[in-house]
Amino acid sequence: EGRRKGLGLWMLGRPEEAVAQLAAYEGDDVASFTRAHALLHLERAKEALPIFKRLSDAYPDATRPRAGALEAQFELDLAASDDP
């Protein structure tokens, strides 16, 4: 029930609550994927990147975790650049 609540919170556009709710389900890949997306939405790419990388390693043929990792890395690189 807790995992479903976290997924529902994400679907309702409540990413902060979803991140908190899904933190307890680190071993669940669907919950982790959703939590990583919520973290990206909250501009917390540094926290999202390792989750996406773990999922990319676990599912090398799946494009979504890899795309999430690329997006998170892009956001980190953008934040670190000197360009406005």
Side-chain angles (χ1 to χ4, degrees):
E1 181 174 313
R3 181 182 87 128
R4 285 193 306 257
K5 181 178 180 179
L7 298 174
L9 288 166
W10 170 246
M11 290 171 48
L12 290 172
R14 295 162 57 183
E16 290 179 13
E17 294 172 77
V19 165
Q21 182 70 32
L22 294 171
Y25 302 94
E26 187 176 312
D28 182 286
D29 293 340
V30 173
S32 292
F33 182 78
T34 304
R35 184 169 187 264
H37 271 288
L39 287 164
L40 267 182
H41 182 80
L42 296 170
E43 298 180 4
R44 293 166 56 183
K46 187 174 183 178
E47 295 172 70
L49 182 58
I51 297 169
F52 282 128
K53 283 186 175 181
R54 177 181 64 79
L55 293 170
S56 293
D57 291 344
Y59 301 96
D61 294 333
T63 58
R64 290 179 182 168
R66 191 169 51 252
L70 289 170
E71 183 178 356
Q73 187 62 61
F74 175 77
E75 292 296 334
L76 289 172
D77 292 346
L78 194 61
S81 77
D82 292 335
D83 293 333

